[in-house]
Amino acid sequence: MSQNKAAAGKSFYLSTPIYYVNDAPHIGHAYTTVAGDVLTRWHRQRGESVWFLTGTDEHGQKVMRTAEANNVSPQAWVDNLVETAWKPNWRALNIANDDFIRTTEPRHMERVQRFLQSLKDAGHIYAGKYEGPYCVGCEEFKLPGDLIDKDGEKLCPIHSKPIELVNENNWFFRLSAFVEPLLQHYRDNPEACQPESARNEVVSFLESGVNDLSISRSTFDWGIPVPWDKDQVVYVWFDALLNYATAVGLGDDPESAGGKKFAQTWPCDVHLVGKDILRFHAVIWPAMLMAAGLPVPGKIFAHGWLLVGGEKMSKSKLTGIAPSDITDHFGVDAFRYYFLRAIPFGTDGSFSWEDMHARYTSELANDFGNLASRLAAMVQKYCCGVLPAVSHDAGLEATLAATVEKADAAMCALDFQGGINAIMDFCKRVNGYVTEQEPWVLAKDPANQATLEGVLYNTAESLRALAVLLHPVMPATCEILWESLGANKTIGAIGDEQIGNVATWGQLPPGSLVEKSAVLFPRLETAE
Ligand code: MSP
């Protein structure tokens, strides 16, 4: 489907949630963003035009109170944290986002105001009174049934913190009017909310009846002013959800740059979200778009949580682990690989140093890294560093073709684990081939030189394919491997290599210089 869209000029558009800047990022946030980066890199390598958006959610009480507690203005707080923590974190993790939206930017605030006014003009917004529980951690109006009771106190089940009671005159969005259209949408388009368990949750939530939504707040001012009522600011989720559309020119003149960008990107193909923010994305957001007469997103995919001690890892519970705690030890690419490889996307998973250490050693250092260094060493030793003539191993070729097909289907279905497993199975198969062929034994008899050279060529070709297939997951490592195969000089930049072309055998030109590279996955000091 995406390829047809590419042909029609529509970009494959993927977003991450925009993150609250009440604190620095932890590995739960990095999990979503790395997944988005891997998927968009994969689609780019399918030859598609891609747009990848991430950003920060800067309004609301949660951020405002953190700034107050630190004796700075909310604006100074968010400016500092975005520049010193969030943006550098994504650069360090090699995230190739095309845009970074901040909800305090004028481009966002102006478009939100225009959108709100158009909904009001169309009769979807009315004045009302909200009375009920609110969790500042979730920035969510809660239903009594959502809460847990602890020693007579009502707590938010996600933050385990007391909720607050809100009693305000606010502006309301007629969300209830969209229950039937939303149910119809999910009946007609089951792929629009994934995995299936998430869709079932959304459908039963909708079937249980949904109230209209308060979309403004009047007791604080850290937010976007409601255009027709300057005593109120827009509810932070209504503001935040719109980022996906404001960042690509929502409501701009079709002839302007923003209008053209919107036509090229909208609707968003995939919104990646954690399961805790599924309802906002699968209920409120498409209802807002329906009210505005705009197409709804192609897919909302809710992934699971990284757990610590059986609970969602979070800064507020002091269980947050900074990405650098892991990358300092294992490196950035192992970090990018590990979580997508170890945890089925859509399922909760626990992080363990032991498991990461074990996979690093067996899958990355032994299976992948050693294969690359053995090949380079053998080409040096037996062929003076020069790649021999093209050779064809029918078994490897067929396995590679099946691998590419399987990996592509899995990745496009956001089954990262399935995709990476398929690729790493091929890597194991190539290791098996080298072990069976025993080039070091062949090398003892000059009569075997042609056979030996064939084995080395087949291994090098397999590594070429592995470098391209793993490039979206581990870009820096695969670039080193690509260079050691001489492919940057003979074929071109690895990022230009297309998934659909990987299985074409014999691409490395004979005569290329193969060089030893730095060790791809160095031995770890100690298990922690
Ligand atoms: N600001 C809102 C999102 C607005 S999108 C229009 C928000 N921000 S958040 O910073 O609290 O969370 C952002 C994302 O990080 C969510 O998808 C959330 O699920 C994810 N994660 C936060 N902690 C997580 C784990 N421990 N594990 C996996 N993902 C988790 O919600």
Side-chain angles (χ1 to χ4, degrees):
M1 185 175 84
S2 303
Q3 272 177 340
N4 294 340
K5 280 189 184 175
K10 163 78 172 78
S11 298
F12 174 78
Y13 178 18
L14 181 137
S15 71
T16 72
I18 49 171
Y19 302 96
Y20 289 127
V21 280
N22 56 317
D23 213 330
H26 61 60
I27 61 173
H29 306 125
Y31 180 54
T32 324
T33 308
V34 166
D37 190 57
V38 170
L39 189 62
T40 44
R41 283 178 185 266
W42 187 273
H43 278 268
R44 280 192 205 106
Q45 291 209 208
R46 295 179 99 232
E48 295 170 34
S49 146
V50 166
W51 196 253
F52 176 26
L53 177 71
T54 191
T56 41
D57 188 354
E58 306 186 3
H59 291 128
Q61 278 170 300
K62 176 162 156 151
V63 171
M64 186 187 75
R65 287 185 185 170
T66 314
E68 277 168 0
N70 286 276
N71 290 319
V72 287
S73 71
Q75 191 65 60
W77 173 262
V78 295
D79 286 349
N80 177 52
L81 216 56
V82 167
E83 293 305 327
T84 61
W86 286 87
K87 286 186 174 173
N89 178 61
W90 299 144
R91 278 196 295 274
L93 292 176
N94 215 347
I95 303 297
N97 51 304
D98 296 292
D99 192 5
F100 186 102
I101 181 114
R102 298 182 54 186
T103 54
T104 51
E105 287 177 80
R107 63 168 174 157
H108 173 73
M109 297 179 51
E110 285 159 18
R111 289 178 178 129
V112 168
Q113 288 188 319
R114 259 192 342 238
F115 181 88
L116 208 68
Q117 186 68 57
S118 71
L119 252 51
K120 169 96 173 2
D121 296 345
H124 296 295
I125 292 178
Y126 65 92
K129 186 176 177 69
Y130 180 79
E131 226 181 322
Y134 190 86
C135 169
V136 174
C138 299
E139 293 282 15
E140 184 174 14
F141 300 98
K142 296 282 185 184
L143 296 171
D146 293 337
L147 306 173
I148 49 172
D149 201 294
K150 192 163 174 246
D151 305 329
E153 204 169 28
K154 300 283 182 205
L155 304 185
C156 162
I158 295 176
H159 293 90
S160 312
K161 286 202 176 142
I163 45 83
E164 298 179 21
L165 285 174
V166 168
N167 187 347
E168 289 180 34
N169 289 320
N170 296 142
W171 293 97
F172 279 72
F173 169 54
R174 291 187 202 282
L175 181 60
S176 57
F178 296 94
V179 167
E180 266 316 309
L182 284 168
L183 281 168
Q184 190 61 43
H185 168 59
Y186 291 121
R187 272 195 290 270
D188 294 347
N189 306 285
E191 76 291 346
C193 186
Q194 296 277 321
E196 201 184 332
S197 54
R199 189 175 65 254
N200 291 341
E201 183 199 317
V202 166
V203 167
S204 58
F205 175 73
L206 285 165
E207 284 171 345
S208 71
V210 172
N211 296 328
D212 288 346
L213 177 73
S214 166
I215 55 153
S216 67
R217 299 294 309 274
S218 61
T219 48
F220 60 94
D221 64 359
W222 179 236
I224 302 176
V226 172
W228 63 87
D229 179 356
K230 296 286 160 37
D231 292 335
Q232 306 249 352
V233 291
V234 179
Y235 167 46
V236 63
W237 268 101
F238 209 84
D239 159 353
L241 287 163
L242 279 163
N243 90 87
Y244 304 128
T246 61
V248 291
L250 171 72
D252 286 12
D253 178 344
E255 292 308 314
S256 68
K260 286 182 184 154
K261 185 82 209 164
F262 195 76
Q264 200 201 350
T265 46
W266 203 258
C268 190
D269 293 84
V270 181
H271 290 307
L272 287 185
V273 299
K275 64 181 188 179
D276 48 324
I277 58 171
L278 171 65
R279 282 187 205 169
F280 295 100
H281 285 82
V283 176
I284 300 174
W285 177 225
M288 289 163 66
L289 292 164
M290 284 175 178
L294 289 167
V296 296
K299 189 191 297 299
I300 315 288
F301 194 102
H303 64 71
W305 287 336
L306 301 189
L307 306 176
V308 171
E311 283 190 62
K312 179 184 176 222
M313 182 180 52
S314 79
K315 276 277 159 94
S316 63
K317 287 184 181 162
L318 303 177
T319 53
I321 301 171
S324 58
D325 290 345
I326 297 181
T327 56
D328 286 352
H329 188 67
F330 292 101
V332 167
D333 279 351
F335 178 90
R336 293 173 56 103
Y337 172 88
Y338 173 74
F339 292 98
L340 297 178
R341 164 70 183 84
I343 305 168
F345 208 55
T347 306
D348 291 346
S350 292
F351 167 70
S352 111
W353 284 98
E354 292 73 22
D355 186 48
M356 186 160 182
H357 191 278
R359 284 191 195 279
Y360 178 97
T361 304
S362 78
E363 296 170 18
L364 295 179
N366 291 350
D367 289 353
F368 184 40
N370 275 356
L371 180 66
S373 59
R374 277 159 85 202
L375 182 268
M378 289 191 291
V379 175
Q380 296 277 324
K381 191 165 170 193
Y382 305 135
C383 307
C384 305
V386 178
L387 198 68
V390 174
S391 174
H392 289 268
D393 181 90
L396 283 180
E397 279 190 64
T399 313
L400 175 60
T403 300
V404 174
E405 207 174 302
K406 198 168 166 190
D408 191 38
M411 293 301 239
C412 290
L414 285 87
D415 172 10
F416 297 103
Q417 190 182 56
I420 295 173
N421 278 352
I423 301 167
M424 295 311 281
D425 281 350
F426 177 67
C427 185
K428 279 205 177 72
R429 171 81 180 79
V430 181
N431 275 302
Y433 168 81
V434 174
T435 308
E436 284 155 24
Q437 299 296 321
E438 298 184 309
W440 47 91
V441 175
L442 292 171
K444 289 186 179 148
D445 183 350
N448 294 328
Q449 185 65 17
T451 315
L452 169 65
E453 290 182 358
V455 172
L456 298 186
Y457 187 86
N458 285 319
T459 309
E461 262 297 278
S462 302
L463 278 163
R464 170 197 58 79
L466 283 167
V468 178
L469 293 172
L470 288 169
H471 183 243
V473 184
M474 299 185 284
T477 304
C478 292
E479 268 158 38
I480 296 173
L481 170 57
W482 191 247
E483 279 187 26
S484 98
L485 295 170
N488 55 323
K489 296 200 187 99
T490 57
I491 299 182
I494 189 169
D496 294 338
E497 287 303 290
Q498 303 235 339
I499 301 294
N501 198 30
V502 172
T504 306
W505 201 263
Q507 293 186 46
L508 285 173
S512 318
L513 288 183
V514 174
E515 287 169 357
K516 273 188 155 175
S517 68
V519 177
L520 297 184
F521 298 97
R523 183 175 290 277
L524 298 170
E525 290 304 312
T526 47
E528 298 215 8

